[in-house]
Amino acid sequence: MTNLTGPEKSRYVQDLFTRIAHRYDLMNRLMTGGQDIRWRKEVIRRAALHPHASLLDLGAGTGDLAREALAQQPTAHVTAADFTLAMMRAGRKDTDHFGWSAADALRLPFPNEQFDAVVSGFLMRNVIDSLQALREQFRVLKPKGRIVILDTTRPKKNLLSPFIWVHMHLIIPALGTLLSGQRDAYTYLPDSTEAFLSAEELAARMAAVGFKQIGFKRVMFGTIAIHWGEKL
Ligand SMILES: C[S@@+](CC[C@H](N)C(=O)[O-])C[C@H]1O[C@@H](n2cnc3c(N)ncnc32)[C@H](O)[C@@H]1O
């Protein structure tokens, strides 16, 4: 599917997340050995929320980042937004204290300068136009607002490369097929990672739309990156 572009890719992504929504959280925990919980904590720490901060969790899926934001800053105003209804439905809990919003990352239904921080987890490699998605996040951020992006990234070649390849191309699709019955959804993960920008390229795009103080770090043997920046 990595050959798909434009609206075709968007429809494919929406359909894919609709099909795996019921197994999404479990697969995340298994694929990352539970490490995603740690990365989410770091993403929210880097968003540096003050007690009345407003935060947008974009491409929120089942809402784990939104939940972590409220765990770290219970009085923050949090909005979880996604364009796949099934993911939000699968994640929604009666105990949640944040709002859900149907939103396309490329045309956000929010006014300029509404949020103190925008975070996203595993969204950016799915959007059909990463520059436009960054422009929209920049637009809805207040001056001094922060962006933090968590996503998979192409690992650099090293001694572990063969093991990483086996994990990404054999173990994850096998596990995904077993648990969700949707093999293509879990071959999409390595394929979309390889087709996505390198960590350096993503940082350069953030700079191109105007973000400053940009940085990133790699985790999980270089297969995951956390990027951050500020709208000064
Ligand atoms: C891999 S899931 C990540 C969910 C969650 N953020 C997490 O950290 O686990 C990617 C999510 O991005 C959403 N998504 C992809 N493209 C989008 C777009 N253009 N606008 C809004 N949401 C999008 C999908 O519907 C899906 O729920």
Side-chain angles (χ1 to χ4, degrees):
M1 72 59 52
T2 42
N3 51 338
L4 296 181
T5 52
E8 271 182 352
K9 178 175 170 182
S10 272
R11 275 195 294 276
Y12 177 85
V13 167
Q14 244 173 347
D15 173 64
L16 179 151
F17 285 108
T18 300
R19 286 186 280 125
I20 64 169
H22 65 297
R23 283 287 189 232
Y24 180 79
D25 288 338
L26 176 63
M27 267 305 288
N28 251 0
R29 295 298 104 78
L30 292 175
M31 283 186 309
T32 65
Q35 293 300 300
D36 67 303
I37 296 173
R38 248 171 12 123
W39 310 328
R40 290 173 202 283
K41 287 186 193 303
E42 173 160 358
V43 166
I44 299 301
R45 270 199 308 274
R46 288 190 180 277
L49 301 176
H50 57 76
H52 300 292
S54 53
L55 171 91
L56 174 63
D57 173 7
L58 186 56
T62 53
D64 277 357
L65 280 173
R67 240 164 252 121
E68 177 56 30
L70 285 173
Q72 289 189 26
Q73 193 54 273
T75 52
H77 304 283
V78 176
T79 304
D82 201 287
F83 78 170
T84 306
L85 207 60
M87 286 290 277
M88 295 192 279
R89 279 206 183 115
R92 200 172 188 150
K93 296 185 174 65
D94 289 343
T95 47
D96 284 338
H97 293 289
F98 55 87
W100 291 91
S101 171
D104 185 343
L106 304 183
R107 281 182 306 274
L108 291 176
F110 306 112
N112 296 350
E113 304 189 354
Q114 170 152 340
F115 297 100
D116 295 291
V118 180
V119 296
S120 63
F122 309 109
L123 162 77
M124 289 299 288
R125 98 193 114 78
N126 294 298
V127 300
I128 56 178
D129 183 345
S130 56
L131 208 50
Q132 173 62 11
L134 288 170
R135 275 192 215 107
E136 278 293 88
Q137 292 173 68
F138 190 85
R139 177 182 69 75
V140 300
L141 274 172
K142 295 177 186 170
K144 298 206 184 305
R146 293 184 180 216
I147 181 173
V148 190
I149 299 171
L150 168 69
D151 215 322
T152 55
T153 191
R154 261 180 277 150
K156 290 190 188 311
K157 290 250 174 298
N158 61 34
L159 284 177
L160 290 175
S161 297
F163 299 100
I164 292 172
W165 192 93
V166 167
H167 182 70
M168 299 278 280
H169 289 269
L170 299 179
I171 296 177
I172 288 179
L175 204 60
T177 310
L178 199 69
L179 287 180
S180 70
Q182 306 288 336
R183 185 177 170 80
D184 70 313
Y186 291 96
T187 53
Y188 168 76
L189 173 66
D191 291 349
S192 59
T193 300
E194 278 161 16
F196 188 40
L197 306 169
S198 69
E200 291 80 2
E201 287 165 343
L202 179 57
R205 290 216 176 168
M206 290 168 73
V209 307
F211 286 107
K212 308 282 185 215
Q213 314 279 31
I214 296 163
F216 65 86
K217 71 183 267 195
R218 293 184 172 89
V219 294
M220 189 88 169
F221 309 112
T223 58
I224 304 281
I226 300 174
H227 284 72
W228 57 86
E230 262 184 59
K231 174 176 177 177
L232 289 183

Coordinates of all heavy atoms in Angstrom, one line a residue, residues 10 13-14 16-18 20 24-25 28-29 36 40 57-65 81-85 87-88 102-108 119-128 133 150-151 188-189, ligand 1:
S10 N -5.4 8.1 2.5 CA -6.3 8.5 3.6 C -7.3 7.5 3.9 O -7.6 7.0 5.0 CB -6.9 9.8 3.4 OG -6.1 10.8 3.8
V13 N -5.9 4.3 5.3 CA -5.5 4.4 6.7 C -6.7 4.3 7.6 O -6.7 3.6 8.6 CB -4.7 5.7 6.9 CG1 -4.5 6.1 8.4 CG2 -3.3 5.6 6.2
Q14 N -7.7 5.0 7.2 CA -9.0 5.0 8.0 C -9.6 3.6 8.1 O -10.0 3.2 9.2 CB -10.0 6.0 7.4 CG -10.3 7.1 8.2 CD -11.2 8.1 7.5 OE1 -11.4 8.1 6.3 NE2 -11.8 9.0 8.2
L16 N -8.0 0.8 7.7 CA -7.1 -0.1 8.4 C -7.3 0.1 9.9 O -7.4 -0.9 10.7 CB -5.6 0.3 8.0 CG -4.5 -0.4 8.7 CD1 -3.3 -0.4 7.7 CD2 -4.0 0.3 9.9
F17 N -7.3 1.4 10.4 CA -7.5 1.6 11.9 C -8.9 1.2 12.3 O -9.1 0.8 13.5 CB -7.1 3.0 12.3 CG -5.6 3.2 12.3 CD1 -5.0 3.9 11.3 CD2 -4.8 2.6 13.2 CE1 -3.6 4.0 11.2 CE2 -3.5 2.7 13.2 CZ -2.8 3.4 12.2
T18 N -9.9 1.3 11.4 CA -11.2 0.8 11.8 C -11.2 -0.7 12.0 O -11.8 -1.2 13.0 CB -12.2 1.1 10.6 OG1 -12.2 2.5 10.5 CG2 -13.6 0.6 11.0
I20 N -8.6 -2.6 12.9 CA -7.8 -3.1 14.1 C -8.1 -2.4 15.4 O -7.5 -2.7 16.4 CB -6.3 -3.0 13.8 CG1 -5.9 -1.5 13.6 CG2 -5.9 -3.8 12.6 CD1 -4.4 -1.3 13.6
Y24 N -6.1 -2.6 19.0 CA -5.0 -1.7 18.9 C -4.1 -1.6 20.2 O -2.9 -1.7 20.1 CB -5.5 -0.3 18.5 CG -4.4 0.7 18.4 CD1 -3.6 0.7 17.2 CD2 -4.1 1.6 19.4 CE1 -2.6 1.6 17.1 CE2 -3.0 2.4 19.3 CZ -2.3 2.4 18.2 OH -1.2 3.3 18.1
D25 N -4.8 -1.4 21.3 CA -4.0 -1.2 22.6 C -3.1 -2.4 22.9 O -2.0 -2.3 23.3 CB -4.9 -0.8 23.7 CG -5.5 0.6 23.6 OD1 -4.9 1.4 22.9 OD2 -6.5 0.9 24.2
N28 N -0.2 -2.7 20.6 CA 0.9 -1.7 21.0 C 1.7 -2.2 22.1 O 2.9 -2.1 22.1 CB 0.2 -0.4 21.4 CG 0.3 0.7 20.4 OD1 0.9 0.5 19.4 ND2 -0.2 1.8 20.7
R29 N 1.1 -2.7 23.2 CA 1.8 -3.1 24.4 C 2.7 -4.3 24.0 O 3.9 -4.3 24.4 CB 0.9 -3.6 25.5 CG -0.1 -2.7 26.1 CD 0.6 -1.5 26.9 NE 0.5 -0.3 26.1 CZ -0.5 0.5 26.0 NH1 -1.6 0.2 26.7 NH2 -0.5 1.6 25.3
D36 N 6.0 1.6 25.2 CA 5.3 2.8 24.7 C 4.8 3.6 25.8 O 4.7 4.8 25.8 CB 4.2 2.4 23.7 CG 3.1 1.6 24.3 OD1 3.4 0.5 24.9 OD2 1.9 2.1 24.3
R40 N 5.3 7.6 26.1 CA 4.2 8.5 26.2 C 4.4 9.5 27.4 O 4.1 10.6 27.3 CB 2.9 7.7 26.4 CG 2.4 7.0 25.2 CD 1.2 6.1 25.4 NE 1.2 5.1 24.4 CZ 0.7 5.3 23.2 NH1 0.3 6.5 22.8 NH2 0.7 4.3 22.3
D57 N -4.3 16.3 21.6 CA -3.6 15.0 21.3 C -4.2 14.7 19.9 O -5.3 14.3 19.7 CB -4.1 13.9 22.3 CG -3.6 12.5 21.9 OD1 -2.9 12.4 20.9 OD2 -4.0 11.6 22.6
L58 N -3.3 14.8 18.9 CA -3.8 14.7 17.5 C -3.5 13.3 17.0 O -2.4 12.8 17.2 CB -3.0 15.8 16.6 CG -3.4 15.9 15.2 CD1 -4.9 16.2 15.0 CD2 -2.6 17.0 14.5
G59 N -4.5 12.8 16.2 CA -4.4 11.4 15.8 C -4.4 10.5 17.1 O -3.6 9.5 17.2
A60 N -5.3 10.9 18.0 CA -5.3 10.3 19.3 C -5.6 8.9 19.4 O -5.2 8.2 20.4 CB -6.3 11.1 20.2
G61 N -6.3 8.3 18.4 CA -6.6 6.9 18.4 C -7.4 6.6 19.6 O -8.5 7.2 19.9
T62 N -6.9 5.7 20.5 CA -7.7 5.3 21.7 C -7.4 6.3 22.9 O -7.9 6.0 24.0 CB -7.4 3.9 22.1 OG1 -6.0 3.7 22.1 CG2 -7.9 2.9 21.0
G63 N -6.6 7.3 22.7 CA -6.5 8.4 23.7 C -5.4 8.2 24.8 O -5.5 8.9 25.8
D64 N -4.5 7.3 24.5 CA -3.5 7.1 25.6 C -2.7 8.3 26.0 O -2.3 8.5 27.1 CB -2.5 6.0 25.2 CG -3.1 4.6 25.5 OD1 -4.2 4.5 26.0 OD2 -2.4 3.6 25.1
L65 N -2.3 9.2 25.0 CA -1.5 10.4 25.3 C -2.4 11.4 26.1 O -1.9 12.0 27.0 CB -0.9 11.0 24.0 CG 0.3 10.4 23.5 CD1 0.7 11.0 22.1 CD2 1.5 10.5 24.4
A81 N -8.2 14.2 19.3 CA -8.8 14.3 18.0 C -8.3 13.3 17.0 O -7.1 12.9 17.0 CB -8.5 15.7 17.4
D82 N -9.2 12.7 16.2 CA -8.8 11.7 15.3 C -9.8 11.7 14.1 O -10.9 12.2 14.3 CB -8.8 10.3 16.0 CG -7.9 9.3 15.3 OD1 -8.3 8.8 14.2 OD2 -6.8 9.0 15.8
F83 N -9.4 11.1 13.0 CA -10.4 11.0 11.9 C -10.9 9.6 11.7 O -11.7 9.3 10.8 CB -9.8 11.6 10.6 CG -8.9 10.7 9.8 CD1 -8.6 11.2 8.5 CD2 -8.3 9.6 10.2 CE1 -7.7 10.4 7.7 CE2 -7.4 8.8 9.4 CZ -7.1 9.3 8.2
T84 N -10.6 8.7 12.7 CA -11.2 7.3 12.6 C -12.1 7.1 13.9 O -11.6 6.9 15.0 CB -10.1 6.2 12.6 OG1 -9.2 6.5 11.5 CG2 -10.7 4.8 12.4
L85 N -13.4 7.1 13.6 CA -14.4 7.0 14.7 C -14.2 5.7 15.5 O -14.3 5.8 16.7 CB -15.8 7.0 14.0 CG -16.9 7.5 14.9 CD1 -16.6 9.0 15.3 CD2 -18.2 7.4 14.1
M87 N -11.6 4.1 16.3 CA -10.5 4.1 17.2 C -11.0 4.9 18.5 O -10.7 4.5 19.6 CB -9.3 4.8 16.6 CG -8.5 4.0 15.6 SD -7.6 2.6 16.4 CE -6.1 3.4 16.9
M88 N -11.6 6.0 18.3 CA -12.1 6.8 19.4 C -13.1 6.0 20.2 O -13.1 6.0 21.4 CB -12.6 8.1 18.9 CG -11.6 9.0 18.3 SD -12.0 10.7 18.0 CE -13.0 10.6 16.5
A102 N -13.8 14.8 16.2 CA -13.5 14.2 14.9 C -12.8 15.3 14.1 O -13.3 16.4 13.9 CB -14.8 13.8 14.2
A103 N -11.6 15.0 13.7 CA -10.7 16.0 13.0 C -9.7 15.4 12.0 O -9.1 14.3 12.4 CB -10.0 16.8 14.0
D104 N -9.6 16.0 10.9 CA -8.5 15.6 10.0 C -7.3 16.5 10.3 O -7.4 17.7 10.3 CB -9.0 15.8 8.5 CG -8.0 15.3 7.5 OD1 -6.8 15.1 7.9 OD2 -8.4 15.2 6.4
A105 N -6.1 15.8 10.5 CA -4.9 16.6 10.8 C -4.5 17.6 9.8 O -3.7 18.5 10.0 CB -3.8 15.5 11.0
L106 N -5.1 17.4 8.6 CA -4.7 18.3 7.5 C -5.6 19.6 7.4 O -5.2 20.5 6.7 CB -4.7 17.6 6.1 CG -3.8 16.4 6.1 CD1 -3.9 15.8 4.7 CD2 -2.4 16.7 6.5
R107 N -6.7 19.5 8.1 CA -7.6 20.7 8.1 C -8.2 20.7 9.5 O -9.4 20.3 9.7 CB -8.8 20.5 7.1 CG -8.4 20.8 5.7 CD -9.6 20.6 4.8 NE -10.2 19.3 5.0 CZ -9.8 18.2 4.3 NH1 -8.9 18.3 3.4 NH2 -10.4 17.0 4.5
L108 N -7.5 21.2 10.5 CA -8.0 21.1 11.9 C -9.2 22.0 12.1 O -9.1 23.2 11.7 CB -6.8 21.4 12.9 CG -5.7 20.4 12.9 CD1 -4.6 20.8 13.8 CD2 -6.3 19.0 13.4
V119 N 0.4 17.3 20.8 CA 1.3 16.1 20.8 C 0.6 15.1 19.9 O -0.6 15.1 19.6 CB 1.4 15.5 22.3 CG1 2.1 16.4 23.2 CG2 0.0 15.1 22.8
S120 N 1.4 14.2 19.4 CA 0.9 13.1 18.5 C 1.7 11.9 18.7 O 2.9 11.9 18.9 CB 0.9 13.5 17.1 OG 2.2 13.7 16.6
G121 N 1.0 10.7 18.7 CA 1.7 9.4 18.8 C 1.4 8.6 17.6 O 0.2 8.3 17.3
F122 N 2.4 8.3 16.8 CA 2.3 7.4 15.7 C 1.3 7.9 14.7 O 0.6 7.1 14.0 CB 2.0 6.0 16.2 CG 2.9 5.5 17.2 CD1 2.5 5.4 18.6 CD2 4.2 5.2 17.0 CE1 3.3 4.9 19.6 CE2 5.1 4.8 18.0 CZ 4.7 4.7 19.3
L123 N 1.2 9.2 14.6 CA 0.3 9.8 13.6 C 1.0 10.2 12.3 O 0.6 9.9 11.2 CB -0.3 11.1 14.1 CG -0.9 12.1 13.1 CD1 -2.3 11.5 12.6 CD2 -1.1 13.5 13.6
M124 N 2.2 10.8 12.4 CA 2.8 11.6 11.3 C 3.1 10.7 10.1 O 3.0 11.2 9.0 CB 4.0 12.4 11.8 CG 3.6 13.6 12.7 SD 2.6 14.8 11.9 CE 3.7 15.5 10.7
R125 N 3.5 9.5 10.3 CA 3.8 8.7 9.2 C 2.6 8.2 8.4 O 2.7 7.7 7.3 CB 4.7 7.5 9.6 CG 4.1 6.2 9.8 CD 5.0 5.2 10.5 NE 4.5 4.9 11.8 CZ 3.5 4.1 11.9 NH1 2.9 3.4 10.9 NH2 3.0 3.8 13.1
N126 N 1.4 8.5 9.0 CA 0.2 8.1 8.3 C -0.5 9.2 7.5 O -1.3 8.9 6.7 CB -0.9 7.7 9.4 CG -0.5 6.4 10.1 OD1 -0.3 5.4 9.5 ND2 -0.2 6.5 11.4
V127 N -0.1 10.4 7.7 CA -0.7 11.5 7.0 C -0.2 11.6 5.6 O 1.0 11.3 5.3 CB -0.6 12.9 7.7 CG1 -1.3 12.8 9.1 CG2 0.8 13.4 7.8
I128 N -1.0 12.1 4.7 CA -0.6 12.1 3.3 C 0.3 13.3 2.9 O 0.9 13.4 1.9 CB -1.8 12.1 2.3 CG1 -2.8 13.2 2.6 CG2 -2.5 10.7 2.4 CD1 -4.0 13.3 1.7
A133 N 0.3 18.9 7.7 CA 0.0 18.5 9.1 C 0.8 19.3 10.1 O 0.3 19.8 11.1 CB 0.2 17.0 9.3
L150 N 5.7 11.7 18.6 CA 6.3 10.3 18.8 C 5.9 9.5 17.6 O 4.8 9.4 17.2 CB 5.6 9.7 20.1 CG 5.8 8.2 20.4 CD1 7.2 7.9 20.8 CD2 4.8 7.8 21.5
D151 N 6.9 8.9 17.0 CA 6.6 8.0 15.8 C 7.7 7.0 15.6 O 8.8 7.1 16.1 CB 6.3 8.8 14.5 CG 5.2 8.1 13.7 OD1 5.2 6.9 13.6 OD2 4.4 8.9 13.1
Y188 N 1.8 -3.1 7.0 CA 1.8 -1.6 6.8 C 2.7 -0.9 7.7 O 3.4 0.1 7.3 CB 0.3 -1.1 7.0 CG 0.2 0.4 7.0 CD1 0.3 1.2 5.9 CD2 0.1 1.1 8.2 CE1 0.2 2.6 5.9 CE2 0.0 2.5 8.3 CZ 0.1 3.2 7.1 OH 0.0 4.6 7.2
L189 N 2.8 -1.4 9.0 CA 3.7 -0.7 9.9 C 5.2 -0.6 9.5 O 5.7 0.5 9.3 CB 3.6 -1.4 11.3 CG 4.5 -0.9 12.4 CD1 4.2 0.5 12.8 CD2 4.5 -1.8 13.6
Ligands
LIG1 C1 -1.1 4.4 15.0 S1 -2.5 5.2 15.5 C2 -2.0 6.1 16.9 C3 -3.0 6.3 18.0 C4 -2.5 6.9 19.3 N1 -2.1 8.3 19.0 C5 -1.3 6.2 19.9 O1 -0.3 6.9 20.3 O2 -1.4 5.0 20.1 C6 -2.7 6.5 14.3 C7 -3.9 7.2 14.4 O3 -3.8 8.4 13.6 C8 -5.1 8.6 13.0 N2 -4.9 9.4 11.8 C9 -4.2 9.0 10.7 N3 -4.3 10.0 9.7 C10 -5.0 11.0 10.3 C11 -5.5 12.3 9.9 N4 -5.2 12.8 8.7 N5 -6.2 13.0 10.7 C12 -6.5 12.6 11.9 N6 -6.2 11.4 12.4 C13 -5.4 10.6 11.6 C14 -5.6 7.2 12.7 O4 -7.0 7.2 12.6 C15 -5.2 6.4 14.0 O5 -6.1 6.5 15.0

